[in-house]
Every structure is written in structure tokens, then in C-alpha cells.
Amino acid sequence: TFLFSWALAQSDSNFAPAPKKIEKITILRKNIFDLSLGQYKKFPYTWANKFHILTREKVIQRELLFEAGDFYNPELLAESERNLRRYEFLGKVEIKAEENSKRNIEVTVETEDLWSLSLATAISGAGDKYNYAVSLNDHNFLGWGQTVSVFYSQDHSTFFKEEYGLQFFDPRVFHSQHRVNLTLNKLSFGHWRV
């Protein structure tokens, strides 16, 4: 009985299904508003879509942990979804895998952009001892997944101080694992500094 069970196990292992390969990857990028829906076929939704720059395909690709020709691993698809969901300029993210007629896998990556421009303000203090700040931020500058901010502030809490400048943040410099955060600013009593 033991020999028969061992032989049967060996036979089953010989017929184990071969791992499937990813044959094709399709990336579908959607704009902020779905203009196929009636409620979005008017101003301001059409204008928002028109002036919004869609996230670049390379930005989506760099977060995928698989490529065409790799063996299919559902865990890598799930991890890639999590990578993409970290970005605040992406809303819906879905990665689906389907077997084709050749018994290989075709993967579809679907993303939906969110509005990436924001205006931030802050005011504090009392009486003539106050300060305020305002900044305009784009969290998906030109569709490259980078953040560019222009800011201005005044501080009257002790003595008058004014500051303005530009900030740039790239979470994946040249699609690498490195990030950069640069600030160029000028104080009212000083020079430009980085």
C-alpha cells in the first residue's frame, strides 16, 4: 500500500500544471470624469477633463512588479495594486488577469485619475501678532507623479517676515527607488536659497 501511494504521488507530480506565463499587459488610464455618463457631459466636468493631464503610462508601468514573459504570480499583481493605490492622484486601481485561448495570461491594469490640484491656506495668531501662508500644489505635475508647490507666507508674530518659493518632490527619480525633495525659497531679508 505504501509503495502504491508513493507511486501515485509521483505520478501526480509529473502531471502538475505548468506555470502560466504573462503574455500581454494592457494599461487602461481613465480621466477624472467618465464623459459617457450623462451627468458629466457638461461644464465644468468636460473642462476639468480637458485641462487635466492624464497620468503617464510609464508612471503606471514603473509600479508593476511583473512584465510580459514572466510567470504569473497573483501575489505580485496584488502588491502592484497596492503600489499604485499609494498615490493620492489615483482613485480606482484594478489589476485583472484572464487566461486566453493559448492558456497564457493576459493582464489588464485599469487606473482612474483624481483631481491633483489643491490650494492650501493657514492663518494663526491674534490681533496684530499673526501669520498666514498659502500654497498652490499639483500632486501629479504634467502627469509624471511629481509634486510641485508654489508657496507664500507672512509672519507678523515678532517682526515682519515674508517668504515665498517653490517646492519639488519626486518619489521615483528617473523611475528608480530614489526620491528627491527640493525647496527653493527667499526670505524678505535674505537671498534665494535651496
Side-chain angles (χ1 to χ4, degrees), residues 118-134:
S118 66
L119 181 68
T121 59
I123 302 173
S124 62
D128 60 350
K129 306 287 186 186
Y130 68 92
N131 55 66
Y132 70 87
V134 61

Side-chain angles (χ1 to χ4, degrees), residues 33 35 39-51 115:
F33 298 106
L35 299 184
Q39 67 263 36
Y40 297 133
K41 289 183 177 178
K42 57 188 175 184
F43 177 84
Y45 310 110
T46 52
W47 278 43
N49 274 8
K50 188 180 228 180
F51 291 108
W115 188 250

